[in-house]
Amino acid sequence: MTKIDDVARLAGVSTATVSRALRGLPTVSAATRRRVLAAAEQLQYAVSPSASRLAGGRTATVAVVVPRITRWFFGTVVEAVEETLHQRGYDLLLYNLGGREHTRQRVLRTASLHKRVDAVMLVGTPLGPAELTFLAALGLPGVTVSSGSRVPGWPCVRIDDLAAARTATRHLLDLGHRRIAHISGDPHELTFTAHRERRRGYQEALRSAGIVPDPSLDVESQFTTDGGNQATVELLARGEPPTAIFAASDELAMGALRALRGAGLRVPQDVSVIGIDDHDLSGVLGLSTVAQPAAEQGRLAAHILLDPLGGRALLPLPAGGPAPRDAGTDPHVTPVILPTRLVVRDSTAPPRAD
Amino acid sequence: MTKIDDVARLAGVSTATVSRALRGLPTVSAATRRRVLAAAEQLQYAVSPSASRLAGGRTATVAVVVPRITRWFFGTVVEAVEETLHQRGYDLLLYNLGGREHTRQRVLRTASLHKRVDAVMLVGTPLGPAELTFLAALGLPGVTVSSGSRVPGWPCVRIDDLAAARTATRHLLDLGHRRIAHISGDPHELTFTAHRERRRGYQEALRSAGIVPDPSLDVESQFTTDGGNQATVELLARGEPPTAIFAASDELAMGALRALRGAGLRVPQDVSVIGIDDHDLSGVLGLSTVAQPAAEQGRLAAHILLDPLGGRALLPLPAGGPAPRDAGTDPHVTPVILPTRLVVRDSTAPPRAD
DNA sequence: CTGAAAGCGCTTACAG
DNA sequence: CTGAAAGCGCTTACAG
């Protein structure tokens, strides 16, 4: 284990100078810097993160919290975030809530994040009042991606869920559908609430077309492919099938495709299906959807977090904690809304003319 | 920021005693422990990981390296690993190689892991000679999951890829197929090599049935759904289509389903398709497959790593580094092979009788 | 079972 | 531009 003293000795300077040179501080002469870098290289020196963190007061680590890394959206976001963080020299501590309440407690209510990370990114994880209070007490900078609830003072990156749902529904209306069902996730699940907005968008689009939403055509389930399957099975059991289904996510839509096929209904001839996401597999499945830029949301959120003018995660904190944000002028506390885009494939078509 | 001194003062003991009590060391009287815990609770004390790591010499952190977290297998493994690590009080540092060579270099050849983690888990990441040398030089304990290459002295958890491929191919043979194609990943890609074994299993099964593998029926592409699509398109362009396709993964198989549909071929009436994995969506797609226990592999690997008798990651290292393993007697250095299981769904059937 | 003190390996004012 | 020295907040022999 070579340490900073070894490098200092070999380079013939003090440890303070080694520290400065290695971190690229400007107050080091070019010649000295060269010698230090050469010495460090020769000794294969790597700074001890623990020591550096303890002395410097920053961890260069970000906690990334997701409901389930195996779901398309969260995996895609994390992948983009990981790249951005590592490019900038930050470590990524992964927290996968996985629907386990005690994990949630541990992460969001204990001091486990405290002193461990410089900043927090919450992806698709709406918070309860107690959790909000706790996070605020931590005093850490953070950012949320597509989370149902905002954390006061934290920037937020997301899409306009209401508009995306409206676009999807309107596409079905434009094709001539009138009997349009909606399947979505469990509204009581506290891990993801975008589908509430999506339901509103669906209902708004229907109303704009002069259609009163029919509760019997609106089925809730789990926010997964299995959930989509079950929701559609139930939908079909309720009586006359709809001519089209708007699913609140592509994973739900894939479940719907399955259930329809199982019921002997053809897509799109008998029933049209559209989702939201543009999941990796949607192209392969020929699923029409409203695409959202998942990786882009992750990348952007990471940049905002690391941006010294924005997240301030990395600047040595001024005594007394980060300067309070002015919600009126700081662009970072107003949500950053990324655009979505209708992608028409093979799963949507006009209703049968009978 | 309350620190250990505050707790010590409130509890009326030394910081050493607080440290011991909080870590559950046995050399603390019950009464003292109670007082310390109460004081810590009252002050909302959380130990500083940096200080603890610097003083104690262990980081309680594991690096988990995957090619791409968005692929089903890797996401599923990581999810299981995350749960196990956090249950045991370990942090998970995520490294997503993402096919970027410089990332690979940074992780696998620099000293970035050094002093940062207590142990390394390599998932589906075979190593070149230089990387093996480097990892060995780090002297860290580690474990590999489903990696093409072994790291000397590291335990390994995986399935028998050859047998899985044999099972899949034999299923097609048993249905009466003779003209069986194989699609798989790029053999030169250095991020995942399980498909080499899978190809061998395919060829062995054919030969056992008296069939000479036909190179024109064996197409390489990317190890993704798109790759499966392209490979199948190419396969069909080569002339008379096969009556069945064995895809080296379910993601490849899904691409094949797409390409076949695009070519107007029905599954399984015209062409049967089988994969390996039992991907989340395979049930929904009716894809026959050879299921592998991904989460179980992750869980098991994490346990082996944390097991003081196995990985030794967490014990304070005896001077001179970890005791050398005896490859002859240590069960952890022989690969742990988990079972796979044929799952027949709707994508495989006997060939047409024409 | 408990405490005083050294030490983990850095970074940061403070001086110059 | 550079260095001496204090200090970050713990853990760990060493004594008792």
Side-chain angles (χ1 to χ4, degrees):
Chain A
M1 310 301 99
T2 100
K3 20 196 224 183
I4 200 171
D5 310 70
D6 303 321
V7 180
R9 207 171 306 118
L10 181 58
V13 297
S14 70
T15 60
T17 298
V18 174
S19 174
R20 293 183 189 113
L22 258 28
R23 280 177 299 146
L25 297 193
T27 62
V28 178
S29 75
T32 304
R33 187 185 307 278
R34 256 195 310 280
R35 261 189 300 141
V36 170
L37 290 179
E41 170 69 31
Q42 181 181 334
L43 297 175
Q44 296 267 55
Y45 172 72
V47 10
S48 155
S50 316
S52 169
R53 289 166 186 178
L54 179 57
R58 32 168 303 218
T59 63
T61 302
V62 174
V64 177
V65 183
V66 296
R68 298 211 59 171
I69 189 86
T70 44
R71 301 236 279 257
W72 171 82
F73 179 74
F74 306 123
T76 305
V77 167
V78 167
E79 185 162 287
V81 169
E82 193 269 358
E83 177 162 18
T84 307
L85 291 183
H86 279 159
Q87 274 172 0
R88 305 262 205 124
Y90 281 75
D91 279 342
L92 187 167
L93 234 43
L94 179 66
Y95 292 89
N96 184 68
L97 297 180
R100 291 160 278 141
E101 191 50 39
H102 72 273
T103 305
R104 198 180 166 87
Q105 301 260 353
R106 180 179 48 70
V107 174
L108 294 176
R109 304 183 78 155
T110 73
S112 114
L113 292 176
H114 195 37
K115 302 177 187 169
R116 195 174 296 272
V117 298
D118 291 334
V120 179
M121 181 182 299
L122 235 45
V123 187
T125 305
L127 302 173
E131 292 168 331
L132 278 176
T133 308
F134 166 72
L135 270 188
L138 275 185
L140 288 172
V143 62
T144 61
V145 178
S146 179
S147 290
S149 58
R150 297 289 308 277
V151 179
W154 285 13
C156 164
V157 178
R158 58 180 180 83
I159 59 167
D160 184 337
D161 289 290
L162 195 139
R166 226 192 277 121
T167 299
T169 309
R170 198 169 287 154
H171 169 60
L172 298 173
L173 288 165
D174 289 348
L175 286 169
H177 293 277
R178 306 288 293 172
R179 191 168 164 73
I180 301 173
H182 174 54
I183 61 178
S184 78
D186 177 359
H188 302 301
E189 189 192 358
L190 199 56
T191 52
F192 199 56
T193 54
H195 45 287
R196 294 185 198 161
E197 289 286 289
R198 295 179 188 174
R199 167 169 292 114
R200 281 186 45 213
Y202 156 76
Q203 294 174 337
E204 277 188 16
L206 289 186
R207 290 206 185 89
S208 303
I211 300 174
V212 180
D214 175 352
S216 78
L217 290 181
D218 195 335
V219 185
E220 287 158 2
S221 183
Q222 303 259 72
F223 218 71
T224 62
T225 303
D226 271 350
N229 187 4
Q230 287 167 29
T232 306
V233 166
E234 169 163 353
L235 184 65
L236 297 176
R238 289 186 182 176
E240 189 197 349
T243 67
I245 298 177
F246 161 51
S249 80
D250 279 4
E251 280 155 339
L252 284 165
M254 291 175 197
L257 293 179
R258 162 66 166 180
L260 291 169
R261 197 181 53 185
L265 293 166
R266 292 163 305 162
V267 174
Q269 294 87 338
D270 300 320
V271 182
S272 285
V273 175
I274 188 169
I276 288 184
D277 274 345
D278 202 16
H279 187 288
D280 268 349
L281 296 178
S282 297
V284 154
L285 294 172
L287 179 66
S288 296
T289 191
V290 175
Q292 70 162 317
E296 188 55 31
Q297 288 175 74
R299 213 172 294 128
L300 194 57
H303 277 121
I304 290 176
L305 200 58
L306 300 192
D307 174 6
L309 299 178
R312 290 169 215 203
L314 312 184
L315 296 179
L317 294 179
R325 299 266 184 81
D326 178 346
T329 59
D330 186 338
H332 289 297
V333 299
T334 37
V336 178
I337 311 283
L338 263 46
T340 55
R341 181 175 49 86
L342 177 66
V343 178
V344 179
R345 297 199 178 97
D346 316 329
S347 67
T348 47
R352 278 185 315 200
D354 57 26
Chain B
M1 310 305 99
T2 100
K3 19 198 221 182
I4 199 171
D5 310 71
D6 303 323
V7 180
R9 206 169 307 119
L10 181 57
V13 297
S14 71
T15 60
T17 297
V18 174
S19 174
R20 293 184 189 113
L22 256 29
R23 279 176 301 143
L25 298 192
T27 63
V28 178
S29 75
T32 305
R33 187 184 308 279
R34 255 196 311 278
R35 260 188 302 142
V36 170
L37 291 179
E41 170 69 31
Q42 182 181 335
L43 297 174
Q44 295 266 57
Y45 172 72
V47 8
S48 154
S50 317
S52 169
R53 289 166 187 177
L54 179 58
R58 35 167 300 217
T59 63
T61 303
V62 173
V64 177
V65 183
V66 295
R68 297 208 60 170
I69 189 88
T70 43
R71 301 234 279 260
W72 171 81
F73 179 74
F74 305 122
T76 306
V77 168
V78 167
E79 185 162 288
V81 170
E82 194 268 359
E83 177 163 16
T84 307
L85 291 183
H86 279 158
Q87 274 171 359
R88 304 263 205 123
Y90 280 76
D91 279 342
L92 188 166
L93 235 42
L94 179 67
Y95 293 89
N96 184 68
L97 297 179
R100 292 160 275 141
E101 192 48 41
H102 73 275
T103 306
R104 198 179 165 85
Q105 300 259 355
R106 179 178 49 69
V107 175
L108 294 176
R109 306 181 77 155
T110 73
S112 114
L113 292 176
H114 194 38
K115 303 176 186 170
R116 197 174 294 272
V117 298
D118 291 335
V120 180
M121 181 182 299
L122 236 44
V123 187
T125 305
L127 302 173
E131 292 167 331
L132 278 175
T133 307
F134 166 72
L135 269 189
L138 276 186
L140 288 172
V143 63
T144 60
V145 179
S146 180
S147 291
S149 59
R150 295 290 308 277
V151 178
W154 285 14
C156 164
V157 178
R158 57 179 182 83
I159 59 167
D160 183 338
D161 289 290
L162 195 138
R166 225 193 278 121
T167 300
T169 309
R170 198 169 287 154
H171 169 60
L172 298 172
L173 289 165
D174 289 348
L175 287 169
H177 294 276
R178 306 288 294 171
R179 192 169 163 73
I180 301 173
H182 174 53
I183 62 177
S184 78
D186 177 0
H188 303 300
E189 189 192 358
L190 199 56
T191 51
F192 199 55
T193 55
H195 45 290
R196 293 185 197 161
E197 289 287 289
R198 295 180 188 175
R199 167 170 293 113
R200 282 185 47 213
Y202 156 75
Q203 294 175 338
E204 278 189 15
L206 290 185
R207 290 207 185 88
S208 303
I211 301 174
V212 179
D214 176 351
S216 78
L217 290 181
D218 196 336
V219 186
E220 286 157 2
S221 184
Q222 303 259 69
F223 218 72
T224 61
T225 303
D226 271 350
N229 186 5
Q230 287 168 30
T232 305
V233 166
E234 171 166 351
L235 184 67
L236 297 176
R238 289 185 181 177
E240 189 198 346
T243 66
I245 298 177
F246 161 50
S249 79
D250 280 2
E251 279 154 339
L252 284 164
M254 291 175 197
L257 293 180
R258 162 66 166 181
L260 291 169
R261 196 181 53 186
L265 293 166
R266 292 162 305 161
V267 175
Q269 294 89 337
D270 301 320
V271 182
S272 284
V273 175
I274 188 169
I276 289 184
D277 275 346
D278 202 17
H279 187 290
D280 268 350
L281 296 178
S282 297
V284 155
L285 294 172
L287 180 66
S288 295
T289 192
V290 176
Q292 70 163 318
E296 189 54 31
Q297 287 175 76
R299 213 171 294 128
L300 194 56
H303 277 120
I304 289 175
L305 200 58
L306 299 193
D307 175 6
L309 298 178
R312 291 166 213 207
L314 312 182
L315 296 178
L317 293 179
R325 298 264 183 83
D326 178 346
T329 58
D330 187 335
H332 290 297
V333 299
T334 38
V336 178
I337 312 284
L338 263 46
T340 54
R341 181 174 48 86
L342 177 66
V343 179
V344 179
R345 297 200 178 97
D346 316 329
S347 67
T348 47
R352 278 185 316 200
D354 57 25

